Amino acid sequence: MAEDSQRNFRSVYYEKVGFRGVEEKKSLEILLKDDRLDIEKLCTFSQRFPLPSMYRILVWKVLLGIIPPHHESHTLVMKYRTEQYRDVYHALQVIRFIKDFTPQVEVFLRMHQLESGRLPRNLAFPLEPEDEVFLAIAKAMEEVVEDNIDCYWLVSSFVNQLNNKYKDSLPQLPKVLEQYLNVEDNRLLAHLKACSAVSKLPYNLWFKKCFAGCLPESSLQRVWDKVISGSCKILVFVALEILLTFKMKIMALTNAEKITQFLENIPQDNTDAIVSKAIDLWHKHCGMPVHLKQVDFF
Amino acid sequence: MAQQANIGELFSMLDSSVLLVQEDITAVFKDNLSSDRGPMLVNMLVDYYLENNSQQALQILSTLQEPHDKHLLDKINEYMGKAATRLHTLSLLGHVIRRQPSWKHKLSQAPLLLSLLKCLKTDTDVVVLTTGVLVLITMLPMIPQSGKMYLHDFFGIFGRLSSWCLKNPGHVAEIYLVHLHASVYALFHRLYGMYPCNFVSFLRSHYSMKENLETFEEVVKPMMEHVRIHPELVTGSKDHELDPRRWKRLETHDVVIECAKISLDPKEASYEDSYYSVSQPVSLCLQPRQIDPNAIPYIETHINYGTSTSTPYSTPRLTLSQMQGQLPQILSPQSTRLSTEPQQVAIWSPSAVCGMTTPPTSPGIVSSESSQTSSQPYSKYFSTPGGKGTPLGTPATSPPPPCISDDFVHVSLPSAAATPPKKEDKPDPGRPSLSRQQNVINSEKALEVPGSKSSVNLSDLPEFLGCLASDEDSVEKDREEDAISKEISEITTADAEPVVPRGGFDSPFYHTSESLPASQKKPLSVASSVQGHSLSSEPLASSLDKSGPEGARDTPKQAFTPIDRPCGASDESLAGNRVGQSSMETSILTPSPCKVPAQRRMGFGSGQPPSYEHLFEVALPKTAYLFVSKKTEELLKKVKGNQDEDCTSSTSPMEVLDRLIQQGADAHTKELNKLPLPSKSADWTHFGGSPPSDEIHTLRNQLLLLHNQLLYERFKRQQHALRNRRLLRKVIKATALEEHNAAMKDQLKLQEKDIQSLKLSLQKEQARYHQFQEEHDNIVAQLHSQIRQLQHDREEFYNQSQELQTKLKDCRNMIANLRLELKKANNKVCHTELLLSQVSQKLSNSESVQQQMEFLNRQLLVLGEVNELYLEQLQHKHADTTKEVEMMQAAFRKELEKAKFCVQQQSQRLDASQKRVVELESQLSKKDHLLLEQKKYLEDVKIQARGQLQAVESRYKAQKRITQAFELEILDLYGRWEKDSLSKKLDDEKTEAAEAAEERW
């Protein structure tokens, strides 16, 4: 009852009018007030609603396991994380892998390599594909997160999640994309097939880099909310929505290379709408996460 | 040029005497005309015709087709301008026009018309004028609407010619004037018929002038007495009658008929439509007149009709009613339909006659059949009132006089041989009626003489008639005139036939034409001398003149035509059949009655026929016509046989006639040259002192005029024939419908009879039904009474049984009562027995009880004694027992108190221990809870620790990685360093070795 009185009586209408995230912020605050943060609830929340940007980093860190669910240990754990970061950074400096002028992204890469034991013997060693992915993600993350340490941990944890948790599902995504494209717009699919561009779509950019470098950060972080909260299928729908949005242009192009090239460099002005539509589409096809309704948050 | 010469030859061959050559040449000319469009050939033909008067050329010219019409008209126009050729040209024009060429509408635009009008206005030659007027009259119906622009020219011509008739400025022979007068009358008639309003206004203006007044009185007024008032004068206007729309839907023959309709002349006027009544009085008036000459047959007529002769108008009506009663059923509807003279119209549908009148249209067989069927009922009808078994005897042979019979055989043989040439297409079956009709005609002729006489009086005909009759005594002339008269008779009959079926024969004209010659024949047959004939004809003619009080009725035309007739009739000595006919006619005509039966018996083989002959005239005037037409054909045949033996049946009678006239004219001129004509001088002087040389010319001209008039009348006849076909079709339809109607009526009657019989049978059935019903009712009543009786019996029986049953019941009750009583008695018996036994038992019992009582009493006594004894003993033993019990009670009481205390103690202990248990249990649960919390907490802490540991572990791992990296680095450095030192060592050794070597060195 106490919670009910706190609720805004207008909240019922917000969603109808089209405002989103008004009540979410409050419910998220309630969620975050719990001493032991409930990871599952946070996951569901993150999947259903867009995260307010002020809590995004915290939620991400919790969801990615960078900080534990207990508030007490946050400072301690963060202290350890910081120390670890500094140690690694220092070590890299010592072994002269990084210099002061080294770009932060590369620093993160080297640190990640070091931590995962894949540090090359020599700086001259060429970068591997996964390092490219890391660099792209790190670059995007760097824009989102200000603090270097947080940023490193987020990038590192994100990449680890991609490599561990989605290891099996990521390669399936192109097929899933084709399937949903067939449902949504089979003419487009037929066109793509006719151009034999289906296999040449920028899957690397979309599914491995999680649209890092493809979408602007403001849109990208909303996608990553879902990815981090445990659904890599959102990537498929974003890709699908990109295809549908630029359908006319794609239809006009008949060359697979041109299509790929266009998709790799899509215009950045309308990405928020694309992402919103993609999320709607995702909800439509995969349904809302049922096991936790909004009522549960209050 | 070769062609030119060739054509010249052709012209010479054109009038070849060989028929085949003629035909070939004609065909060649026609081919040329169809291929050549130039005017040359036409011009040459016209020239040739004007020179040689060639019939072949005329025929070719009159059948010219479209492209040549202009050349022809131009050529004719050219010749029209020349006075010398004018007459010939005009007759040529007349021939062409009467053919009604397809280009006739162009006539109104042709300059020829103008020149014709001019000629009529200016010319002074009577022959030319008469011919021209006839041509104009013929032409007028063909160009009704386009001729209107020359309307005043027409009127002017009329004015000029009418005054000419009176004043005779050219001082020509009066005989010409008669022709001119006739043609002027025809023109008057045509103009009045076609443009009444305009014409009347013209008359009004023209004859209002004083100088013309005389002309009007003398010439125009008599003409006007013979026309009805034209309906257009009332409804139309001057502009309306000139309206092209009025004329558009009228064909040429329509126009002619229109004109004929307004005539009061019964021959001319039509019976059809509303004009029927106009001509009616004429024919009706004839009947009373018939009484005079032949009283007996006429009376018989009226006896047959069952009417009185006093009211002529009532006769036809009564006839009609009688006819309805007596005629067969088929004819009765027809007769009812017709107003006053049903028989004729019904019977004399043109279908019966058409075979004769218009040979090409209707086949002979059909017509013959129809004529037969139609004539038969009438013959029956007419036979019955007269009481004659065979009214006509053998009609085919008997009616013609013996002298004719040869001719009849002559005619009938070819027809029986089934070779129907144009002249002989009259079939045999049609002949009976025809021959029958002859009788009618004969009698009619006889009767009508007075009427015809009266018609002659208008003009000065008798004089001409006498003159002509006396003039033409030469044999050749006679022959020609004979032919002319035949043709005229044919034409007149043809004229009368289609429109005026009866009027043609009732009309004075007909009778004059037929009977006059007959009357003239009488002396001829008796004396067989030309002179006598002519003499006898004169008085007759004069008598005719005087005796006609009703001349006003007759038209001038009728007055004119007789002129021709005497001319021809006077010379009929050669025509054998005429003779026969005339002999018969004379027999009727003769004042001495003794001759009549003799002649008749000769003609018919029976004395009776005259009594009903006039009936045919009333009922079957058409047969008269048939007869006449047949006769004319015979005549033609004869003429042909006489004169044109070479002319086989391929030529038509018309052509034959024309040719005959031409050849007659030629022969006439030749013969005239030969003959000195001595006997004629007296006649010339009688005529008026004209010189003989003029006379020949006059006669020739007269012949020409007659020919022209003849042609004009023939043209009219053709128009009537055209119209006749149309009417014929209507009549056929009407008769078919009437027959259908009659059949339907018959059916209706039959069905009504059926209904009647059915009604009768229905009534019978109803009566039977009623009878049955009554019987049935009787039986039912009987049965009902039986039932009632039986019911009554039943009720009685029922009552009886009821009584018996009550009795039975009573008996049963009685029995039951008795039984009850018996039972009661039995019971009582039993009961008493039982009681008895009980009593006996009780008795025994009481006895034993008494014994026991005695015994017990004894015991009682003994026991009382014992008791007393025990009481004594008891009193002795009663003091110690109460103290002991009291002690024991006290002990027990104490013991109980003790136990109670003990129990109280025990329960207190139990309560305490229970409280303790509860206390301990709560503590336990608290502890459990605590434990759980602790566990949770521990878990929490564990997780926390794990998180921290994870961080630490990752840190440791990082450290491990760092150290590894460091180690790697160190090892690397070591490696390098060793390598460096080794190389240094080697270098040192080398230097040392080198130094040593140097030292050594």
PDB file of all heavy atoms in Angstrom, chain B residues 674-692:
ATOM      1  N   LYS B 674     -60.290   4.348-155.432  1.00  0.00           N
ATOM      2  CA  LYS B 674     -60.884   3.542-156.494  1.00  0.00           C
ATOM      3  C   LYS B 674     -62.345   3.869-156.693  1.00  0.00           C
ATOM      4  O   LYS B 674     -62.837   4.033-157.799  1.00  0.00           O
ATOM      5  CB  LYS B 674     -60.746   2.055-156.143  1.00  0.00           C
ATOM      6  CG  LYS B 674     -59.334   1.516-156.325  1.00  0.00           C
ATOM      7  CD  LYS B 674     -59.357   0.049-155.959  1.00  0.00           C
ATOM      8  CE  LYS B 674     -57.956  -0.422-155.625  1.00  0.00           C
ATOM      9  NZ  LYS B 674     -58.010  -1.728-154.929  1.00  0.00           N
ATOM     10  N   LEU B 675     -63.051   3.948-155.579  1.00  0.00           N
ATOM     11  CA  LEU B 675     -64.499   4.048-155.687  1.00  0.00           C
ATOM     12  C   LEU B 675     -64.944   5.432-156.116  1.00  0.00           C
ATOM     13  O   LEU B 675     -64.407   6.430-155.645  1.00  0.00           O
ATOM     14  CB  LEU B 675     -65.120   3.704-154.333  1.00  0.00           C
ATOM     15  CG  LEU B 675     -65.132   2.223-153.976  1.00  0.00           C
ATOM     16  CD1 LEU B 675     -65.650   2.054-152.562  1.00  0.00           C
ATOM     17  CD2 LEU B 675     -65.996   1.453-154.948  1.00  0.00           C
ATOM     18  N   PRO B 676     -65.923   5.465-156.917  1.00  0.00           N
ATOM     19  CA  PRO B 676     -66.445   6.773-157.323  1.00  0.00           C
ATOM     20  C   PRO B 676     -67.395   7.360-156.309  1.00  0.00           C
ATOM     21  O   PRO B 676     -67.681   8.549-156.344  1.00  0.00           O
ATOM     22  CB  PRO B 676     -67.185   6.449-158.625  1.00  0.00           C
ATOM     23  CG  PRO B 676     -67.581   5.031-158.506  1.00  0.00           C
ATOM     24  CD  PRO B 676     -66.522   4.341-157.649  1.00  0.00           C
ATOM     25  N   LEU B 677     -67.854   6.522-155.426  1.00  0.00           N
ATOM     26  CA  LEU B 677     -68.777   6.947-154.398  1.00  0.00           C
ATOM     27  C   LEU B 677     -70.001   7.650-154.975  1.00  0.00           C
ATOM     28  O   LEU B 677     -70.275   8.817-154.684  1.00  0.00           O
ATOM     29  CB  LEU B 677     -68.100   7.896-153.398  1.00  0.00           C
ATOM     30  CG  LEU B 677     -66.895   7.363-152.641  1.00  0.00           C
ATOM     31  CD1 LEU B 677     -66.243   8.498-151.884  1.00  0.00           C
ATOM     32  CD2 LEU B 677     -67.345   6.274-151.711  1.00  0.00           C
ATOM     33  N   PRO B 678     -70.716   6.995-155.770  1.00  0.00           N
ATOM     34  CA  PRO B 678     -71.872   7.676-156.365  1.00  0.00           C
ATOM     35  C   PRO B 678     -73.018   7.804-155.385  1.00  0.00           C
ATOM     36  O   PRO B 678     -73.705   8.816-155.362  1.00  0.00           O
ATOM     37  CB  PRO B 678     -72.266   6.753-157.505  1.00  0.00           C
ATOM     38  CG  PRO B 678     -71.747   5.406-157.110  1.00  0.00           C
ATOM     39  CD  PRO B 678     -70.594   5.589-156.188  1.00  0.00           C
ATOM     40  N   SER B 679     -73.210   6.770-154.641  1.00  0.00           N
ATOM     41  CA  SER B 679     -74.369   6.779-153.761  1.00  0.00           C
ATOM     42  C   SER B 679     -74.215   7.730-152.588  1.00  0.00           C
ATOM     43  O   SER B 679     -75.161   7.984-151.888  1.00  0.00           O
ATOM     44  CB  SER B 679     -74.618   5.369-153.225  1.00  0.00           C
ATOM     45  OG  SER B 679     -73.464   4.960-152.524  1.00  0.00           O
ATOM     46  N   LYS B 680     -72.987   8.151-152.373  1.00  0.00           N
ATOM     47  CA  LYS B 680     -72.770   8.963-151.185  1.00  0.00           C
ATOM     48  C   LYS B 680     -73.082  10.418-151.388  1.00  0.00           C
ATOM     49  O   LYS B 680     -73.133  11.191-150.436  1.00  0.00           O
ATOM     50  CB  LYS B 680     -71.297   8.851-150.744  1.00  0.00           C
ATOM     51  CG  LYS B 680     -71.039   7.576-149.989  1.00  0.00           C
ATOM     52  CD  LYS B 680     -69.596   7.473-149.674  1.00  0.00           C
ATOM     53  CE  LYS B 680     -69.263   6.107-149.116  1.00  0.00           C
ATOM     54  NZ  LYS B 680     -67.828   5.874-149.107  1.00  0.00           N
ATOM     55  N   SER B 681     -73.214  10.812-152.583  1.00  0.00           N
ATOM     56  CA  SER B 681     -73.397  12.243-152.843  1.00  0.00           C
ATOM     57  C   SER B 681     -74.596  12.776-152.095  1.00  0.00           C
ATOM     58  O   SER B 681     -74.567  13.888-151.562  1.00  0.00           O
ATOM     59  CB  SER B 681     -73.545  12.481-154.344  1.00  0.00           C
ATOM     60  OG  SER B 681     -74.648  11.724-154.824  1.00  0.00           O
ATOM     61  N   ALA B 682     -75.603  11.962-152.041  1.00  0.00           N
ATOM     62  CA  ALA B 682     -76.790  12.415-151.327  1.00  0.00           C
ATOM     63  C   ALA B 682     -76.477  12.636-149.860  1.00  0.00           C
ATOM     64  O   ALA B 682     -76.882  13.614-149.259  1.00  0.00           O
ATOM     65  CB  ALA B 682     -77.890  11.368-151.467  1.00  0.00           C
ATOM     66  N   ASP B 683     -75.681  11.781-149.366  1.00  0.00           N
ATOM     67  CA  ASP B 683     -75.341  11.914-147.948  1.00  0.00           C
ATOM     68  C   ASP B 683     -74.502  13.145-147.703  1.00  0.00           C
ATOM     69  O   ASP B 683     -74.606  13.802-146.672  1.00  0.00           O
ATOM     70  CB  ASP B 683     -74.572  10.668-147.483  1.00  0.00           C
ATOM     71  CG  ASP B 683     -75.478   9.463-147.571  1.00  0.00           C
ATOM     72  OD1 ASP B 683     -76.693   9.656-147.389  1.00  0.00           O
ATOM     73  OD2 ASP B 683     -74.947   8.369-147.832  1.00  0.00           O
ATOM     74  N   TRP B 684     -73.583  13.355-148.562  1.00  0.00           N
ATOM     75  CA  TRP B 684     -72.762  14.569-148.386  1.00  0.00           C
ATOM     76  C   TRP B 684     -73.622  15.793-148.278  1.00  0.00           C
ATOM     77  O   TRP B 684     -73.463  16.613-147.401  1.00  0.00           O
ATOM     78  CB  TRP B 684     -71.785  14.759-149.553  1.00  0.00           C
ATOM     79  CG  TRP B 684     -70.823  13.630-149.782  1.00  0.00           C
ATOM     80  CD1 TRP B 684     -70.507  13.062-150.965  1.00  0.00           C
ATOM     81  CD2 TRP B 684     -70.082  12.964-148.790  1.00  0.00           C
ATOM     82  NE1 TRP B 684     -69.601  12.080-150.813  1.00  0.00           N
ATOM     83  CE2 TRP B 684     -69.326  11.975-149.446  1.00  0.00           C
ATOM     84  CE3 TRP B 684     -69.990  13.073-147.402  1.00  0.00           C
ATOM     85  CZ2 TRP B 684     -68.478  11.123-148.786  1.00  0.00           C
ATOM     86  CZ3 TRP B 684     -69.140  12.219-146.759  1.00  0.00           C
ATOM     87  CH2 TRP B 684     -68.409  11.262-147.434  1.00  0.00           C
ATOM     88  N   THR B 685     -74.570  15.830-149.221  1.00  0.00           N
ATOM     89  CA  THR B 685     -75.416  17.024-149.190  1.00  0.00           C
ATOM     90  C   THR B 685     -76.211  17.056-147.906  1.00  0.00           C
ATOM     91  O   THR B 685     -76.378  18.105-147.298  1.00  0.00           O
ATOM     92  CB  THR B 685     -76.378  17.023-150.382  1.00  0.00           C
ATOM     93  OG1 THR B 685     -77.048  15.768-150.413  1.00  0.00           O
ATOM     94  CG2 THR B 685     -75.650  17.268-151.678  1.00  0.00           C
ATOM     95  N   HIS B 686     -76.604  15.907-147.498  1.00  0.00           N
ATOM     96  CA  HIS B 686     -77.356  15.848-146.242  1.00  0.00           C
ATOM     97  C   HIS B 686     -76.537  16.339-145.058  1.00  0.00           C
ATOM     98  O   HIS B 686     -77.010  16.935-144.124  1.00  0.00           O
ATOM     99  CB  HIS B 686     -77.782  14.408-146.001  1.00  0.00           C
ATOM    100  CG  HIS B 686     -78.407  14.188-144.676  1.00  0.00           C
ATOM    101  ND1 HIS B 686     -77.738  13.709-143.592  1.00  0.00           N
ATOM    102  CD2 HIS B 686     -79.672  14.417-144.247  1.00  0.00           C
ATOM    103  CE1 HIS B 686     -78.523  13.633-142.558  1.00  0.00           C
ATOM    104  NE2 HIS B 686     -79.739  14.067-142.939  1.00  0.00           N
ATOM    105  N   PHE B 687     -75.319  16.124-145.189  1.00  0.00           N
ATOM    106  CA  PHE B 687     -74.446  16.471-144.054  1.00  0.00           C
ATOM    107  C   PHE B 687     -74.222  17.962-143.909  1.00  0.00           C
ATOM    108  O   PHE B 687     -73.949  18.468-142.852  1.00  0.00           O
ATOM    109  CB  PHE B 687     -73.086  15.774-144.234  1.00  0.00           C
ATOM    110  CG  PHE B 687     -72.294  15.769-142.966  1.00  0.00           C
ATOM    111  CD1 PHE B 687     -72.590  14.802-141.998  1.00  0.00           C
ATOM    112  CD2 PHE B 687     -71.305  16.688-142.733  1.00  0.00           C
ATOM    113  CE1 PHE B 687     -71.891  14.790-140.842  1.00  0.00           C
ATOM    114  CE2 PHE B 687     -70.617  16.665-141.573  1.00  0.00           C
ATOM    115  CZ  PHE B 687     -70.884  15.705-140.608  1.00  0.00           C
ATOM    116  N   GLY B 688     -74.307  18.625-144.970  1.00  0.00           N
ATOM    117  CA  GLY B 688     -74.092  20.076-144.836  1.00  0.00           C
ATOM    118  C   GLY B 688     -73.320  20.621-146.006  1.00  0.00           C
ATOM    119  O   GLY B 688     -72.772  21.703-145.941  1.00  0.00           O
ATOM    120  N   GLY B 689     -73.234  19.908-147.038  1.00  0.00           N
ATOM    121  CA  GLY B 689     -72.668  20.419-148.273  1.00  0.00           C
ATOM    122  C   GLY B 689     -71.183  20.495-148.304  1.00  0.00           C
ATOM    123  O   GLY B 689     -70.616  21.260-149.061  1.00  0.00           O
ATOM    124  N   SER B 690     -70.546  19.748-147.533  1.00  0.00           N
ATOM    125  CA  SER B 690     -69.087  19.778-147.593  1.00  0.00           C
ATOM    126  C   SER B 690     -68.634  19.072-148.849  1.00  0.00           C
ATOM    127  O   SER B 690     -69.253  18.096-149.267  1.00  0.00           O
ATOM    128  CB  SER B 690     -68.491  19.047-146.391  1.00  0.00           C
ATOM    129  OG  SER B 690     -69.021  19.610-145.228  1.00  0.00           O
ATOM    130  N   PRO B 691     -67.566  19.561-149.424  1.00  0.00           N
ATOM    131  CA  PRO B 691     -67.075  18.916-150.634  1.00  0.00           C
ATOM    132  C   PRO B 691     -66.521  17.543-150.305  1.00  0.00           C
ATOM    133  O   PRO B 691     -65.991  17.320-149.216  1.00  0.00           O
ATOM    134  CB  PRO B 691     -65.959  19.851-151.115  1.00  0.00           C
ATOM    135  CG  PRO B 691     -65.603  20.674-149.945  1.00  0.00           C
ATOM    136  CD  PRO B 691     -66.799  20.744-149.074  1.00  0.00           C
ATOM    137  N   PRO B 692     -66.649  16.653-151.272  1.00  0.00           N
ATOM    138  CA  PRO B 692     -66.230  15.275-151.008  1.00  0.00           C
ATOM    139  C   PRO B 692     -64.747  15.166-150.686  1.00  0.00           C
ATOM    140  O   PRO B 692     -64.353  14.320-149.891  1.00  0.00           O
ATOM    141  CB  PRO B 692     -66.557  14.546-152.310  1.00  0.00           C
ATOM    142  CG  PRO B 692     -67.425  15.459-153.088  1.00  0.00           C
ATOM    143  CD  PRO B 692     -67.265  16.824-152.595  1.00  0.00           C
TER     144      PRO B 692
END
